[in-house]
Amino acid sequence: MAANPQTALSGLARALIQNGRLTEADALGCSPKANGSTNAFLLELTQRGLMTPRDIARFAAETFGYPLLDISAIDRGSLPRDAIDRKLMIKHQVVALGKRQNRITLAVADPSNMRVLDEIRFQTGLQLDLIIVEVDKLGKLAESLSETAQQTLQELTGEEFDMDLLQQDGPADQTAEDSSEVDDAPVVKFIQKILIDAINEGASDVHFEPYEKYYRIRVRTDGVLREIAQPPLVLKEKIAARIKVISRLDISEKRVPQDGRMKLVLSKNKAIDFRVSSLPTLHGEKIVMRILDPSSAMLGVDALGYEPEQKRALLDAIERPYGMILVTGPTGSGKTVSLYTCLNLLNKAGVNISTAEDPAEINLPGINQVNVNEKAGLTFAAALRAFLRQDPDVIMVGEIRDLETAEISVKAAQTGHLVLSTLHTNDAPSTLERLKNMGVAPFNIASSVIMITAQRLARRLCTCKKPVDIPVEALLQAGFHEDELDGSWQPYAPVGCERCKGSGYKGRVGIYQVMPVSEEIAHIIMTNGNSMDIAAQAEREGVSDLRRSGLLKVRQGVTSLEEVLASTNE
C-alpha cells in the first residue's frame, strides 16, 4: 500500500492544506526544494507567491495557539547571548528571545516541528516557550546573530575585515620565531570578536587582565567596567603577543610599559582607531585598548548635553577670532570629544587648524594633527612654536602641563589665534587659579582666556526607568532650592532590563559648567582674587556650577539623583 504523501509534510503544512489555504499539489511541489527543512518549505511558499510570511505566521499563531510577534521590533543587543548553541540556531533557524531560570523563550516560524523542538530541549535542558514570527525576518536575524566577527564586519561594510597599522611605536621587524609564536588563527579570531562586540556595545575601553589563577577580559561601557570573558589562562601570552604585534610594540620586551596604536578598517571611508597600552604586572602583561571612534566628534553640540544658554555661550566663544578656550575635568570626562566637536564646527576650507596631542585620539580630515614625541624633542612647546610659523587660525593643544606650554599658548591667544586646550582641574574657577600657580602672569590670563568649560559624564537612565519618591530633606541637601520643589517635575530611578543589561542606564550625558570670562572676573584675576571669589562672581552672572547643572538633568528625567551626586561630588 502506497504511503500517504502528506506524511512527508510538517504539521503546519498539513494544517494549511486542511484549512484550504494551500493545495496538496502546491505543498508537495514546494517540498523537494525545501530539503526537509520546514523553514525552507515556508520560504519556498513565499517565493512562489502562494502565501506571504505575515499570512503564514498569523495562521500558525491562530492554529497552534501561540503568541505572534513582529521580530523587527526586537533590539538585537538585548537578546540573551549563548542561550542556545549558535550552530543549532543557524541549523534550525530559531532565535532565543529571553531566558529565565529553567525556561527559554524561543522565536520559531513553525511550532509543529517536534523534531527540532525536542533537539533544542535536549541540547539546552530547558523548557520552551514558543513565539511565532515571520519566517523571512527570523532567518535574517538568526543568520546575523550566528556569524563570526569577521562575517559581521563584512555584512556591515561589504568589505573584508582588515587590521591596519596606524603608526610605529616599536620595532617593525620581528624574528621568525616571534612571528610564529603569535601566528595563531583562533587567537586572532577571538580578539577580533572581542573588539567587534565592544564596538557594538559602545564601549570606551577593553581590558585584558592576567591574574595568578585566571585571565579575564572586561569592557568599560558608560563608565562602568563589566566582565565579558574568561579565556583559558594559557592563552594570556598569545593574546598579549598578538595585540602587541598588531600595535607595532616590541613583543620581546615585557619588563617596561609600552604604548602603541592600531585601527580596524571597516571601509574606505570608515575606520576605528585603538590606543593600546601594555603594563607589566605580577602575573603577565595587562593590555588596555582605548576605542577612539571618529564619529563621536561628528555628533554635534546638541548631542553632548549642553543646555541652550550653555550652547549659545560656547558657540559665541568659538566664533571669536582670537583668545583661549579651556576645557577641564578628570580623565574620561569627555574633554577630547568636546574639543573635537568644536574643531569640527571650525573645520572649513578657509580655516587653518593645527593640533598637538599625546597622542592624537581622533583623526579629522582637514586638520593638521601632530603627535607629541618627547623622546625625539617634539614637546607641546616645540610643536606650538612650529605652528606659529605656519600661519594658523586655530590651535588645539592636547593638555597644558607646564609653564612653557602655558606661556606660548597665552601668547598665541593674544596675537590673533584661537587656542583650545585642556587642564585637569575640578571646576572652571579653579582653572584660572591653577594657571596663576603655574607661573602665568595674572594680566596674561585675564587678557587671553575667554571661556572655561568644566565637565563630567553621568549615565543616562534607560527607558525602563521608574518614578521614585525622594524625601524633601534629601532633595534640599543635594542642592535643590525650596521653590523648585513645587511638584511640577518627577525624579526617576533606574530599574534594569535586557536593553541596558540590568544596569538601568544606557549611554551617558554631559554635565557642564560653562563660564565666560567677563570683565568682572578678569578684574578679580588682575587683583589676585582666588577661585572662591571667581566662583561667587560667576554665580552672580548666572553661571551654573556642575552640581546645579546636574540637578537640572534630574528635573528633566535624563539621569538619577544618585548618579549626579556621584559624578559631581562636592
Side-chain angles (χ1 to χ4, degrees):
M1 182 175 177
N4 185 350
Q6 280 199 27
T7 57
L9 300 174
S10 71
L12 176 56
R14 292 197 298 272
L16 287 168
I17 296 171
Q18 291 167 4
N19 281 268
R21 305 294 294 273
L22 191 66
T23 67
E24 184 175 334
D26 284 335
L28 293 175
C30 293
S31 293
K33 294 190 176 182
N35 297 321
S37 168
T38 305
N39 283 17
F41 167 77
L42 299 179
L43 286 171
E44 185 68 20
L45 287 182
T46 64
Q47 290 168 3
R48 293 192 182 193
L50 297 172
M51 295 187 74
T52 67
R54 184 66 179 170
D55 289 339
I56 295 173
R58 189 177 288 123
F59 176 82
E62 292 173 355
T63 302
F64 296 96
Y66 292 108
L68 178 66
L69 175 69
D70 181 3
I71 206 168
S72 61
I74 291 290
D75 178 11
R76 175 177 160 180
S78 68
L79 298 178
R81 296 184 180 185
D82 304 322
I84 61 174
D85 184 73
R86 289 175 181 264
K87 291 181 180 178
L88 206 62
M89 177 171 62
I90 196 64
K91 174 184 176 183
H92 296 309
Q93 298 285 282
V94 295
V95 170
L97 300 180
K99 181 180 176 184
R100 178 171 292 181
Q101 295 178 347
N102 67 333
R103 306 192 71 84
I104 185 171
T105 303
L106 202 65
V108 298
D110 182 3
S112 68
N113 194 331
M114 299 310 298
R115 180 182 60 81
V116 169
L117 300 180
D118 287 342
E119 183 177 351
I120 294 173
R121 284 192 192 95
F122 177 77
Q123 292 281 355
T124 63
L126 302 172
Q127 296 299 313
L128 306 184
D129 295 322
L130 303 185
I131 290 181
I132 309 300
V133 299
E134 295 164 58
V135 63
D136 56 339
K137 294 179 181 179
L138 178 62
K140 290 177 183 177
L141 182 61
E143 290 282 352
S144 67
L145 290 174
S146 66
E147 289 177 347
T148 63
Q150 175 99 11
Q151 294 167 324
T152 301
L153 265 181
Q154 290 178 14
E155 179 193 55
L156 291 173
T157 66
E159 299 188 11
E160 290 290 328
F161 174 89
D162 186 24
M163 281 191 176
D164 193 15
L165 300 174
L166 191 62
Q167 69 177 39
Q168 291 189 12
D169 286 300
D173 298 326
Q174 306 288 348
T175 64
E177 182 180 353
D178 289 338
S179 299
S180 64
E181 179 187 346
V182 296
D183 189 14
D184 193 327
V187 170
V188 173
K189 288 182 179 179
F190 176 72
I191 295 172
Q192 291 174 358
K193 178 70 169 62
I194 291 293
L195 297 184
I196 295 307
D197 285 348
I199 292 169
N200 288 339
E201 280 193 23
S204 60
D205 303 270
V206 185
H207 295 240
F208 298 82
E209 302 172 316
Y211 297 96
E212 183 178 9
K213 304 232 173 130
Y214 68 99
Y215 185 63
R216 73 177 176 184
I217 299 173
R218 295 190 290 175
V219 297
R220 187 182 296 278
T221 307
D222 298 336
V224 178
L225 278 170
R226 182 176 63 85
E227 184 176 310
I228 60 169
Q230 276 201 23
L233 188 59
V234 294
L235 289 180
K236 67 177 182 180
E237 298 291 347
K238 286 189 175 182
I239 290 174
R242 168 53 59 184
I243 294 173
K244 289 172 72 175
V245 165
I246 297 168
S247 308
R248 283 292 174 95
L249 302 181
D250 185 355
I251 65 173
S252 64
E253 179 56 79
K254 302 178 183 179
R255 300 165 299 173
V256 296
Q258 297 184 67
D259 294 302
R261 287 185 73 127
M262 59 161 281
K263 68 178 176 183
L264 296 180
V265 179
L266 304 183
S267 70
K268 292 179 181 177
N269 301 317
K270 172 75 172 175
I272 294 181
D273 297 339
F274 291 81
R275 191 172 72 194
V276 182
S277 172
S278 73
L279 178 70
T281 68
L282 284 177
H283 305 291
E285 287 183 283
K286 175 181 177 179
I287 307 284
V288 176
M289 305 181 74
R290 167 69 61 89
I291 301 172
L292 310 171
D293 187 356
S295 62
S296 61
M298 309 296 182
L299 295 175
V301 178
D302 294 325
L304 298 183
Y306 286 95
E307 298 301 328
E309 64 277 5
Q310 294 176 335
K311 175 185 169 184
R312 281 194 299 271
L314 179 65
L315 294 179
D316 287 344
I318 66 173
E319 287 172 2
R320 299 267 290 272
Y322 59 88
M324 181 184 291
I325 299 172
L326 296 172
V327 179
T328 178
T331 302
S333 61
K335 299 189 298 294
T336 300
V337 171
S338 293
L339 283 177
Y340 270 97
T341 300
C342 293
L343 290 180
N344 197 42
L345 294 173
L346 295 167
N347 190 12
K348 300 172 185 175
V351 180
N352 180 18
I353 303 175
S354 296
T355 73
E357 302 165 78
D358 185 21
E361 294 192 1
I362 298 173
N363 181 26
L364 280 185
I367 293 178
N368 308 292
Q369 296 172 274
V370 173
N371 273 333
V372 168
N373 186 344
E374 295 195 0
K375 290 181 180 178
L378 182 55
T379 61
F380 279 117
L384 277 171
R385 290 193 191 94
F387 289 166
L388 294 175
R389 294 191 289 270
Q390 300 246 326
D391 186 32
D393 299 300
V394 180
I395 297 172
M396 197 268 271
V397 185
E399 183 183 348
I400 294 179
R401 298 176 179 172
D402 52 53
L403 176 59
E404 185 181 17
T405 304
E407 287 184 331
I408 299 173
S409 300
V410 165
K411 288 177 183 176
Q414 291 172 331
T415 55
H417 307 91
L418 185 64
V419 179
L420 291 78
S421 189
T422 69
L423 273 173
H424 289 281
T425 54
N426 291 327
D427 57 14
S430 61
T431 304
L432 296 171
E433 193 168 10
R434 170 74 187 279
L435 284 173
K436 190 168 61 174
N437 292 338
M438 287 175 69
V440 182
F443 171 81
N444 286 331
I445 298 172
S447 61
S448 61
V449 180
I450 58 176
M451 169 170 286
I452 301 171
T453 298
Q455 64 182 70
R456 300 289 188 274
L457 289 177
R459 291 182 293 171
R460 281 183 189 270
L461 284 167
C462 180
T463 52
C464 63
K465 63 185 180 182
K466 67 176 181 181
V468 63
D469 291 326
I470 302 176
V472 173
E473 295 78 10
L475 294 173
L476 292 172
Q477 187 177 1
F480 282 105
H481 299 154
E482 286 190 15
D483 59 343
E484 293 175 322
L485 307 180
D486 55 5
S488 62
W489 55 277
Q490 173 65 58
Y492 289 87
V495 177
C497 65
E498 289 281 357
R499 181 172 179 268
C500 60
K501 295 180 173 58
S503 70
Y505 298 94
K506 185 74 173 175
R508 289 194 288 180
V509 64
I511 296 174
Y512 301 93
Q513 179 185 25
V514 179
M515 188 185 81
V517 178
S518 63
E519 290 184 7
E520 290 76 12
I521 292 177
H523 179 72
I524 294 172
I525 299 169
M526 294 277 290
T527 55
N528 289 319
N530 57 34
S531 60
M532 290 185 289
D533 299 327
I534 297 171
Q537 177 60 35
E539 186 176 358
R540 286 192 291 270
E541 294 176 4
V543 175
S544 298
D545 61 17
L546 288 166
R547 173 60 62 84
R548 293 292 304 165
S549 295
L551 295 178
L552 181 56
K553 293 288 191 293
V554 175
R555 292 184 62 180
Q556 294 168 347
V558 174
T559 188
S560 65
L561 181 61
E562 294 80 8
E563 188 68 12
V564 168
L565 296 179
S567 58
T568 62
N569 191 19
E570 293 182 343

